[in-house]
Amino acid sequence: MRTSKWREPIFALLFLVLAALLIGILSLAFRPIRVDYGAVWGPYLAEPKDSLDYLYLGSSYAYCDVDPVEIYDKTGLTGYVLAGPEQTLSQTYWYLREAFKTQKPSLVVLEGSALAFQQYQSYTQVNVGYMPAGLNQLGAIFTASEPELRTGLLFPLYFYHSRWKELTVSEAADALLLSETDSLKGFTPVSGVFEQISDGPFTRDPQSEEIYEENLTWLSKIADLCEKHGIPLALVFHPTYSQLPADTRERIAADAAELGISFFDWTEESQSMGITPTLHYYDPGHLNQEGAAIFSAWLGSFLIDELGLSPRTQTAENTSAWKWAVQDRHMVPD
């Protein structure tokens, strides 16, 4: 009698567990693999634990402008660009919480364009959907994502089930395998030059007071999180031809100082860094690959000379991997 009484609930529970497992596997198999243009969590999590000297977060300005391999070649500093397309500050907060589970960098650098973003931008599905499943992703779903996207973020198969027509067995298998480190380290090189760049610089409109204050609240949360982990935070504006007004940047400098955040405004410093606008801008906001190499070399020296970073001890295996990445980056195609 006892066996009969509990058999149906046990089978029902087992069915639910198996169904959830199957949905999870199918969700991973159907979701496109992502290794560039931000939100590259797989390769990041494959980095050896506590091996990174710095973490770089922010929007596409970060992952198009900052080449960690170029910085390593010039300084020996190891780093990763854990940015995302139009990554909002609320998303950045949850990114950092998740990132600190495997890395304790000596510095976090935050590219600050998100201070001029709306509450929600255009790439929530990517930025939040590719986070590792867990409490931090749930936090991002319910505090940094549009309500209408939450069903698909909680159950990714809702977004990607239609891919069954194009999905190959090989692609599905690759999606289910654990990711490996890659030689980009979160960087995405882009090629080409914006033809009208000589007409710039171009002015970006700041957000309303309400939205700015909300963004400032999330910036404060990020600063508190870094302080809790004993990691300095630097807020930066990259050299760009898509510029916030000078008075807006001055206000941001004052607000950052009040929060105890180091702030560096390089908006108008492109030429002093060796960046030629007519050669090195992919568009008004982003550097092309050649411009990124120049900026990254300059940035490496800044991290060493101005912020006092020094390379941490690495395993022989990881040193070899970074040196290989440098060789791969500088390899001239036939």
Side-chain angles (χ1 to χ4, degrees), residues 22 61 76 92 106 131 190 193 217 224 242 246-247 252 276:
L22 178 61
Y61 286 15
T92 298
S106 302
M131 287 184 67
V190 292
V193 177
T217 297
D224 290 344
S242 178
D247 59 346
I252 290 171
T276 302

Side-chain angles (χ1 to χ4, degrees), residues 164-304:
W164 68 270
K165 296 179 181 180
E166 63 189 68
L167 187 67
T168 67
V169 174
S170 176
E171 288 175 330
D174 288 342
L176 293 172
L177 293 174
L178 291 175
S179 298
E180 299 180 350
T181 59
D182 66 14
S183 61
L184 291 173
K185 309 298 181 183
F187 170 58
T188 297
V190 292
S191 299
V193 177
F194 185 67
E195 292 183 358
Q196 288 80 40
I197 197 69
S198 59
D199 297 335
F202 308 93
T203 301
R204 297 176 61 198
D205 294 328
Q207 290 297 340
S208 68
E209 183 67 19
E210 181 182 1
I211 293 175
Y212 176 76
E213 289 294 336
E214 177 67 15
N215 285 335
L216 209 59
T217 297
W218 283 105
L219 180 61
S220 178
K221 290 178 181 289
I222 291 168
D224 290 344
L225 180 62
C226 289
E227 183 178 10
K228 176 183 176 182
H229 287 267
I231 301 171
L233 172 66
L235 176 68
V236 303
F237 281 162
H238 285 194
T240 177
Y241 258 39
S242 178
Q243 302 176 354
L244 288 171
D247 59 346
T248 299
R249 288 182 275 128
E250 289 170 3
R251 179 184 178 183
I252 290 171
D255 289 336
E258 188 171 337
L259 293 172
I261 302 171
S262 300
F263 175 65
F264 304 96
D265 184 5
W266 304 321
T267 300
E268 301 177 30
E269 300 299 323
S270 57
Q271 294 189 20
S272 68
M273 295 176 180
I275 296 169
T276 302
T278 54
L279 296 177
H280 296 137
Y281 278 106
Y282 172 75
D283 61 22
H286 307 85
L287 295 169
N288 61 24
Q289 185 171 359
E290 291 75 19
I294 294 170
F295 174 62
S296 297
W298 179 92
L299 178 62
S301 297
F302 183 87
L303 295 177
I304 291 282

Side-chain angles (χ1 to χ4, degrees), residues 9-25:
I10 290 174
F11 280 144
L13 179 61
L14 182 61
F15 173 80
L16 290 175
V17 171
L18 290 176
L21 183 62
L22 178 61
I23 291 172
I25 291 173

Side-chain angles (χ1 to χ4, degrees), residues 30-270:
F30 277 65
R31 186 180 68 180
I33 296 173
R34 192 171 185 87
V35 294
D36 53 13
Y37 291 97
V40 287
W41 277 99
Y44 169 79
L45 293 175
E47 291 290 320
K49 186 175 180 180
D50 291 334
S51 63
L52 299 175
D53 295 312
Y54 64 90
L55 273 179
Y56 218 107
L57 292 99
S59 70
S60 55
Y61 286 15
Y63 65 68
C64 285
D65 293 358
V66 179
D67 182 352
V69 172
E70 188 71 33
I71 293 174
Y72 177 82
D73 187 29
K74 298 297 188 294
T75 66
L77 293 171
T78 56
Y80 207 96
V81 183
L82 196 58
E86 297 182 10
Q87 184 186 84
T88 63
L89 290 174
S90 56
Q91 292 164 2
T92 298
Y93 171 78
W94 295 105
Y95 265 49
L96 269 181
R97 283 178 61 102
E98 187 67 29
F100 286 160
K101 290 167 67 173
T102 58
Q103 299 289 339
K104 187 175 181 180
S106 302
L107 175 70
V108 169
V109 185
L110 174 59
E111 179 272 315
S113 61
L115 282 163
F117 286 172
Q118 295 279 354
Q119 180 183 12
Y120 305 121
Q121 291 289 122
S122 303
Y123 295 93
T124 301
Q125 181 176 332
V126 168
N127 285 332
V128 177
Y130 278 85
M131 287 184 67
L135 293 178
N136 290 321
Q137 188 190 43
L138 287 174
I141 289 172
F142 288 105
T143 69
S145 305
E146 298 92 320
E148 63 270 22
L149 295 180
R150 290 172 186 168
T151 298
L153 292 171
L154 289 168
F155 306 101
L157 200 58
Y158 178 84
F159 285 144
Y160 302 113
H161 66 276
S162 62
R163 293 191 69 235
W164 68 270
K165 296 179 181 180
E166 63 189 68
L167 187 67
T168 67
V169 174
S170 176
E171 288 175 330
D174 288 342
L176 293 172
L177 293 174
L178 291 175
S179 298
E180 299 180 350
T181 59
D182 66 14
S183 61
L184 291 173
K185 309 298 181 183
F187 170 58
T188 297
V190 292
S191 299
V193 177
F194 185 67
E195 292 183 358
Q196 288 80 40
I197 197 69
S198 59
D199 297 335
F202 308 93
T203 301
R204 297 176 61 198
D205 294 328
Q207 290 297 340
S208 68
E209 183 67 19
E210 181 182 1
I211 293 175
Y212 176 76
E213 289 294 336
E214 177 67 15
N215 285 335
L216 209 59
T217 297
W218 283 105
L219 180 61
S220 178
K221 290 178 181 289
I222 291 168
D224 290 344
L225 180 62
C226 289
E227 183 178 10
K228 176 183 176 182
H229 287 267
I231 301 171
L233 172 66
L235 176 68
V236 303
F237 281 162
H238 285 194
T240 177
Y241 258 39
S242 178
Q243 302 176 354
L244 288 171
D247 59 346
T248 299
R249 288 182 275 128
E250 289 170 3
R251 179 184 178 183
I252 290 171
D255 289 336
E258 188 171 337
L259 293 172
I261 302 171
S262 300
F263 175 65
F264 304 96
D265 184 5
W266 304 321
T267 300
E268 301 177 30
E269 300 299 323
S270 57

